Amino acid sequence: MSAREEILGRIRTALKDNPEAPQIPRQYRQTSPLDESALIELLVDRLIDYKAQVSVVDAAGVPARIAELLAGAQSYVVPTGVDAGWLTGLDHESGERRRHLDSTAAPLSVAELDGIDAVVTGSAVAVAETGTIILDGSPNQGRRAISLVPDHHICVVNAADIAGILPEALRRIDGTRPLTMISGPSATSDIELERVEGVHGPRKLDVIIAR
Amino acid sequence: MSTFLGMPSLPVYGTGNLFASESFPTAAHRELGNAQLRANLGHATHTIRDKRLKMVAELPDWEQLRDAGSAIKESVMARLPELLEQFEENFTARGGVIHWARDADEANAIVAGLVRDTGETEVVKVKSMATQEIGLNEYLEEQGITAFETDLAELIVQLDHDKPSHILVPAIHKNRTEIRDIFLREMPGADPQLTDDPAVLAMAARAHLRRKFLSAKVAVSGANFALADSGTLAVVESEGNGRMCLTLPETLITVMGVEKLLPSWQDLEVFMQLLPRSSTGERMNPYTSLWTGVTEGDGPQNMHLVLLDNGRSAALADEMGRSALHCIRCSACMNVCPVYERTGGHAYGSTYPGPIGAILSPLMTGIQAEENNSLPYASSLCGACYDACPVKINIPDILVHLRSVDVDSKRGKKKLPSQMDAGMKAASWALSSGKRLGMIEKGLPLGRLVAGPDKKITKLPGIAAGWTQSRDIPAPPRESFRSWWAKEHRKPDTSSAPEPSQDKEDQP
Amino acid sequence: MRIALFATCIVDAMYPATARATVKILERLGHEVVFPSGQACCGQMHVNSGYLKEAVPVVANHVAAFDTADYDVAVAPSGSCVASVKHQHPMVARSCGDKALEARAAAVGAKTYELSELLVDVLGVTDAGAQLGSFFPHRVTYHPSCHGMRLLRLGDRQAQLLRSVQGIDLADLPEADQCCGFGGTFSMKNADVSSAMLEDKTANIAATGAELCTGGDASCLMHIGGGLSRQGSAVTTLHLAEILASTAEEPASVSGEVRVSTGKATR
């Protein structure tokens, strides 16, 4: 008998008392009552608590803010589907020189990514209550590796994409895409439960919330 | 052919790192003697306990989430065969390959074979209880394959050639100075000026592992959740080592117990609220990765999943105990456990320590395996674990159930009854009749005699010596309440129908 | 109201003053107390130690003693014994396949209350000083036993009653919700861990500067008191019922002869 048949057989035998599958009580919150400005306020609070840097700007102010955050970077990577308008704040010549493009069709190698200082991506949805940003690999967010290897992640969140609580956020995305849920920069509490921000993932997370 | 012909008989128990090699009291005695360990554990468990309480209190619907989580898991157990088949179909359709492993040996052999097929001799690993349970690292080493643990705490434990003592914070028993010393001793190229600042130590680990991550071709992971309706796997982590392992290598081999399934995407909204708050005491852990088979051009292109039984079907066969399989490995139970807090995880022997380990290990191995029958007694039944459990596993009830399985398994097998057996039998006789208890209570003055002028008993023989090791017993009273009552209420007590003559007999 | 007292074996044999105090409180409120004399023990020691078979006659005896008696509600000065009667008895009956016993056990369980639960929820006691005349001019700390707290969900009923005792100086116990380490046979089978837990409990009690530690469970108090005695501490233990029964005219004896104590309280 194959291991598969045997294990399934063992499990069926174990359930010979035919336990009933209960109805799932879903009395927990499904929606949150917050309006956009309250959602932004909550998200900002939570992100700061995780030691992320946050700025809230009008949509028109995104390019300038990105340029400001990239000022010290020798190089940065963007997914090919990034909103072209976001990069217009960068001095044209230096912006081009420092820029690397990445896509599934033309991916940068891991070594190349390791030599790049920063990454700019969009995001799929955010959860205000938990300070979580979800990337789903859409063209403006790119491959998972680009938001992982460079040490500085600049992530743009559209105010309209902020959900109040997790159930609302998860309803907005396709679970079969390659997903990364990000809540602050990488961190560890492995030494005496003392939280240290910045381990293997980007040590610096900048979130730009675009109203 | 009838489907019942090949039906395996149960239980088939698990193998690997699930056994206590010495009895819990013996191991606990040794661990309690380690003052540094007790100080480290006390500090760590209190810190995380407070964080958890704060985060749980923030959610107005915590109890509703627990109710949902508990029901979802109960439903998964009831529908496990069908959900496993559904998961397999979806995972396979998305380019993943499923392997089934009956026990630890089979799982190890599968993983080693898959690594060998890639031609690689090194793998990076994300912290995983399942691979700890099957002893994968040791097996791979025998096969000439080096496994690098990448979670900071697992790295500390691996560098120190130690064993994890906690499922979330495996190095919880080490303090910063001890960790600095381990790094200096075992980490190639460690800066001799290394301080014991946790931030500095974390940076040393980053530098140490960075090259490994960037060059690794094969990764081995566990999984926190698997969604049956889509074939999706999830890993919940903090440091980014998980993302590194799950994203950069060409081949990813995931080892997961069969009980980790959730029926659908919607269920994730429950568990991703329960798990981070219960485990690290955070609103959300820094990183969660979810992947559904292979995504072209993004992440590993060779995706394997080893589905592990290793005693889970045996646990499932125990109707009283099966809810132990609801466990999502958050570690809240051990963080609140007064026994774990003092002994640490090593005292439990198995990969799974603390209250959940005290039920899970014997359920997976059988109560008679090695010293695992001592584990269900490693609890004062205070109930803190049940209150903290995000999926409401009634650990105290299962502990008591397993104690009775242990007692029953020994009935008639021993030549002589143990002191405990004899005592329980005698107590059953004495305490199953008011009349008999009343008669025995007439001997109370004798106890006063034993107690002497200090009015306390300080030394008892046999198993009761355990009590007088740190506690006195007061001298008994001159007479029992029963006897006093009978004197006070000489008229026949109409409420005492079963033994109407007792009041009279109780007269001194 | 006609109230049946379940004294519990440990109180009956070792702490009769606690049962007498319970009777006193209830009579003071104008209720009639009866003592079903067939009663002995709830059997939780057997159940919790895995001796289910041996627990059956103990449970059957309790059910027989209480389901034939004529009373409105039953009360016990113990959270853990009441939890056993309510939760374990039907389970024990089920384990031996006795459906009739299971039903009778459930009926007895439904009528059985822990003392503070009865006083607060059924008899409407909100102010022990005013309603019971409780007077106890001592510095006291309070240990909420695990089973009362987590199995019966007594909440702050006991603390509330204590706070309303006249003259009492109630000191908060640090880490009050931590188990004292008793756990029945756990204290013998895992004596080292149990002792380590007890050490922390007694240290926390000492830190409050209280003369005595009270609580709703005689077994936990015997454990804590036994530890204090061994350590040579002047702090003693006293059951909640005795503090509630204590009045200005008839004060409770703080270092009575059945107490575990090596000396007089110093404060």
Side-chain angles (χ1 to χ4, degrees):
Chain A
M1 200 189 313
S2 72
R4 180 185 186 277
E5 293 314 307
E6 187 165 341
I7 293 169
L8 287 170
R10 287 178 189 175
I11 294 171
R12 290 198 176 93
T13 308
L15 296 170
K16 61 182 184 298
D17 58 311
N18 288 318
E20 212 178 307
Q23 282 291 311
I24 312 302
R26 294 194 191 269
Q27 265 75 58
Y28 55 87
R29 292 169 302 154
Q30 301 288 337
T31 54
S32 82
L34 304 181
D35 63 14
E36 190 177 287
S37 66
L39 287 173
I40 291 174
E41 196 184 328
L42 186 59
L43 180 60
V44 169
D45 176 76
R46 298 298 144 94
L47 285 167
I48 288 172
D49 192 42
Y50 292 139
K51 308 273 168 29
Q53 284 197 64
V54 200
S55 38
V56 183
V57 299
D58 291 331
V62 172
R65 183 63 187 144
I66 288 177
E68 214 177 317
L69 291 169
L70 282 176
Q74 299 294 313
S75 55
Y76 63 90
V77 56
V78 289
T80 46
V82 74
D83 186 333
W86 289 352
L87 305 177
T88 54
L90 294 155
D91 163 63
H92 184 72
E93 198 194 332
S94 85
E96 289 288 323
R97 191 164 26 82
R98 293 188 285 155
R99 187 179 310 160
H100 298 261
L101 288 173
D102 184 277
S103 68
T104 52
L108 296 169
S109 71
V110 172
E112 283 170 313
L113 284 173
D114 190 39
I116 294 173
D117 290 344
V119 56
V120 182
T121 72
S123 58
V125 60
V127 187
E129 184 175 77
T130 60
T132 303
I133 297 164
I134 305 180
L135 308 188
D136 71 356
S138 293
N140 70 338
Q141 297 151 49
R143 297 188 307 129
R144 286 173 285 171
I146 67 167
S147 54
L148 172 64
V149 180
D151 209 14
H152 182 192
H153 183 189
I154 299 164
C155 186
V156 181
V157 174
N158 288 319
D161 293 333
I162 305 174
I165 57 176
L166 189 71
E168 290 174 303
L170 293 189
R171 277 199 293 274
R172 294 193 200 174
I173 50 178
D174 173 359
T176 63
R177 300 190 61 88
L179 298 174
T180 307
M181 299 169 63
I182 298 173
S183 307
S186 65
T188 182
S189 300
D190 279 350
I191 301 173
E192 296 185 20
L193 274 306
E194 189 169 298
R195 190 174 157 105
V196 174
E197 279 82 14
V199 198
H200 304 297
R203 284 179 285 188
K204 207 166 151 200
L205 174 65
D206 268 297
V207 180
I208 302 171
I209 298 174
R211 272 187 306 238
Chain B
M1 189 169 94
S2 158
T3 50
F4 287 95
L5 272 179
M7 209 57 124
S9 61
L10 280 178
V12 185
Y13 292 122
T15 57
N17 297 326
L18 289 170
F19 302 90
S21 55
E22 55 187 340
S23 80
F24 185 83
T26 307
H29 178 79
R30 185 186 51 246
E31 302 293 312
L32 280 165
N34 184 342
Q36 183 67 60
L37 173 80
R38 263 176 86 178
N40 294 353
L41 277 170
H43 168 72
T45 53
H46 280 78
T47 304
I48 198 161
R49 232 181 253 176
D50 294 345
K51 282 172 74 179
R52 188 192 78 87
L53 280 177
K54 209 170 125 209
M55 280 303 124
V56 164
E58 238 182 52
L59 291 191
D61 54 350
W62 183 251
E63 289 307 318
Q64 286 76 20
L65 286 165
R66 286 179 83 210
D67 287 340
S70 173
I72 291 166
K73 279 293 187 182
E74 197 183 329
S75 169
V76 167
M77 296 312 144
R79 300 168 53 204
L80 197 51
E82 109 191 49
L83 292 175
L84 281 166
E85 284 170 337
Q86 190 191 5
F87 178 85
E88 180 184 39
E89 196 185 322
N90 287 320
F91 187 80
T92 309
R94 301 283 297 232
V97 183
I98 298 231
H99 311 262
W100 298 74
R102 279 166 273 227
D103 56 23
D105 292 344
E106 192 167 15
N108 285 332
I110 291 168
V111 176
L114 290 170
V115 177
R116 219 174 285 125
D117 289 349
T118 66
E120 295 294 318
T121 54
E122 289 188 355
V123 299
V124 284
K125 279 190 70 203
V126 199
K127 189 172 130 34
S128 134
M129 297 313 297
T131 59
Q132 198 63 251
E133 170 191 325
I134 61 177
L136 180 64
N137 292 4
E138 295 73 16
Y139 180 83
L140 289 179
E141 197 176 333
E142 284 167 23
Q143 304 295 309
I145 299 165
T146 312
F148 293 94
E149 290 291 352
T150 63
D151 169 78
L152 177 53
E154 290 282 4
L155 172 70
I156 294 164
V157 167
Q158 191 179 39
L159 287 174
D160 196 34
H161 316 287
D162 194 4
K163 272 168 55 181
S165 68
H166 187 279
I167 64 180
L168 178 76
V169 197
I172 199 167
H173 56 296
K174 303 275 186 208
N175 66 20
R176 59 185 74 192
T177 313
E178 292 169 299
I179 293 166
R180 195 248 338 252
D181 294 346
I182 293 166
F183 279 15
L184 286 177
R185 199 177 64 233
E186 302 283 346
M187 192 184 268
D191 177 2
Q193 304 303 311
L194 200 65
T195 69
D196 65 1
D197 177 358
V200 171
L201 294 170
M203 283 314 101
R206 176 186 163 100
H208 172 69
L209 287 171
R210 186 106 182 145
R211 271 161 291 135
K212 286 277 167 256
F213 285 133
L214 300 183
S215 61
K217 298 279 184 273
V218 184
V220 175
S221 83
N224 291 90
F225 306 108
L227 309 180
D229 72 343
S230 59
T232 304
L233 291 171
V235 163
V236 174
E237 52 125 358
S238 296
E239 296 169 10
N241 62 313
R243 291 177 70 192
M244 291 281 181
C245 293
L246 302 171
T247 314
L248 301 184
E250 293 162 2
T251 300
L252 173 60
I253 305 164
T254 303
V255 182
M256 182 184 88
V258 289
E259 84 286 13
K260 289 277 170 185
L261 287 180
L262 297 178
S264 71
W265 173 249
Q266 193 194 1
D267 300 316
L268 201 66
E269 70 193 24
V270 175
F271 288 89
M272 283 310 297
Q273 293 191 74
L274 290 172
L275 180 56
R277 288 181 201 255
S278 298
S279 61
T280 49
E282 291 171 299
R283 295 190 180 99
M284 190 63 87
N285 52 292
Y287 298 134
T288 298
S289 296
L290 293 119
W291 69 99
T292 307
V294 175
T295 303
E296 212 180 315
D298 186 352
Q301 298 298 296
N302 307 303
M303 201 69 86
H304 296 273
L305 175 67
V306 181
L307 280 172
L308 181 67
D309 177 1
N310 203 37
R312 285 162 177 79
S313 57
L316 191 67
D318 186 320
E319 288 178 40
M320 274 289 290
R322 68 167 56 124
S323 62
L325 294 174
H326 296 185
C327 175
I328 56 173
R329 312 283 189 262
C330 72
S331 72
C333 63
M334 57 202 75
N335 295 334
V336 300
C337 177
V339 176
Y340 176 90
E341 179 190 338
R342 288 165 180 90
T343 66
H346 291 158
Y348 296 78
S350 157
T351 290
Y352 302 107
I356 188 65
I359 59 174
L360 204 49
S361 306
L363 280 165
M364 289 168 73
T365 63
I367 194 82
Q368 282 159 300
E370 297 193 31
E371 298 287 346
N372 278 7
N373 66 350
S374 68
L375 294 177
Y377 298 94
S379 166
S380 66
L381 303 177
C382 80
C385 50
Y386 182 25
D387 274 8
C389 178
V391 289
K392 299 178 88 165
I393 301 169
N394 191 334
I395 295 175
D397 270 9
I398 300 176
L399 286 166
V400 167
H401 160 68
L402 290 174
R403 291 176 186 185
S404 78
V405 173
D406 173 49
V407 168
D408 288 345
S409 76
K410 291 174 186 153
R411 285 186 199 274
K413 286 197 185 148
K414 287 177 286 189
K415 286 201 186 97
L416 285 169
S418 68
Q419 275 187 50
M420 189 63 91
D421 294 342
M424 287 293 165
K425 215 171 159 198
S428 174
W429 177 83
L431 296 172
S432 55
S433 149
K435 205 174 189 174
R436 287 198 285 268
L437 180 57
M439 270 166 53
I440 290 162
E441 286 167 347
K442 294 220 166 71
L444 287 172
L446 198 67
R448 294 174 69 79
L449 216 62
V450 174
D454 286 347
K455 297 199 175 69
K456 61 185 180 190
I457 297 165
T458 57
K459 205 166 166 56
L460 288 171
I463 46 171
W467 176 279
T468 47
Q469 140 184 348
S470 65
R471 293 149 287 222
D472 295 336
I473 291 182
R478 286 202 172 76
E479 68 173 344
S480 67
F481 172 77
R482 182 186 306 271
S483 161
W484 172 85
W485 177 272
K487 270 192 263 172
E488 292 285 308
H489 301 75
R490 282 181 187 278
K491 66 178 189 313
D493 178 358
T494 51
S495 67
S496 56
E499 299 182 26
S501 61
Q502 183 163 343
D503 280 5
K504 198 157 171 267
E505 282 183 22
D506 273 356
Q507 298 303 314
Chain C
M1 203 176 259
R2 197 169 154 87
I3 300 170
L5 174 66
F6 170 34
T8 76
C9 63
I10 183 170
V11 165
D12 177 24
M14 295 296 286
Y15 299 98
T18 297
R20 290 203 296 271
T22 304
V23 173
K24 232 182 258 179
I25 297 164
L26 297 174
E27 288 182 345
R28 216 176 279 161
L29 288 166
H31 301 286
E32 182 195 356
V33 179
V34 296
F35 181 76
S37 64
Q39 67 176 276
C41 169
C42 66
Q44 67 170 310
M45 175 181 76
H46 288 101
V47 178
N48 289 346
S49 305
Y51 291 79
L52 228 54
K53 209 180 104 191
E54 287 77 3
V56 174
V58 183
V59 168
N61 177 70
H62 181 85
V63 172
F66 278 84
D67 83 340
T68 50
D70 174 25
Y71 62 91
D72 299 307
V73 292
V75 68
S78 159
S80 126
C81 303
V82 171
S84 170
V85 167
K86 281 180 176 298
H87 304 304
Q88 291 186 335
H89 284 195
M91 183 271 286
V92 169
R94 215 174 309 134
S95 78
C96 69
D98 191 336
K99 285 251 184 293
L101 181 62
E102 185 183 345
R104 289 164 63 211
V108 169
K111 282 171 80 174
T112 306
Y113 292 80
E114 183 277 335
L115 178 61
S116 71
E117 209 179 11
L118 180 77
L119 290 174
V120 175
D121 297 359
V122 182
L123 306 181
V125 177
T126 52
D127 186 336
Q131 290 166 278
L132 297 169
S134 309
F135 175 72
F136 195 74
H138 300 276
R139 186 166 171 86
V140 174
T141 192
Y142 159 69
H143 167 65
S145 290
C146 302
H147 291 178
M149 179 168 59
R150 301 200 181 91
L151 292 177
L152 295 180
R153 302 281 170 203
L154 294 179
D156 68 346
R157 288 178 183 81
Q158 295 181 340
Q160 202 68 27
L161 289 170
L162 282 169
R163 254 177 250 127
S164 65
V165 169
Q166 277 179 20
I168 200 165
D169 176 11
L170 192 62
D172 280 341
L173 179 63
E175 311 237 307
D177 65 347
Q178 292 297 298
C179 177
C180 72
F182 173 54
T185 49
F186 171 78
S187 60
M188 293 181 258
K189 279 201 166 217
N190 278 285
D192 293 323
V193 186
S194 169
S195 300
M197 290 161 71
L198 177 60
E199 238 172 68
D200 292 342
K201 181 58 73 182
T202 52
N204 280 322
I205 291 170
T208 65
E211 293 164 56
L212 53 86
C213 175
T214 188
D217 272 88
S219 50
C220 307
L221 294 178
M222 179 167 91
H223 184 239
I224 294 168
L228 289 166
S229 164
R230 177 60 57 89
Q231 295 158 19
S233 167
V235 183
T236 59
T237 56
L238 188 66
H239 194 281
L240 165 79
E242 292 173 68
I243 292 182
L244 295 178
S246 174
T247 59
E249 298 73 34
E250 232 188 304
S253 143
V254 177
S255 50
E257 59 180 24
V258 300
R259 301 291 142 224
V260 182
S261 164
T262 51
K264 283 257 177 202
T266 49
R267 289 173 64 112

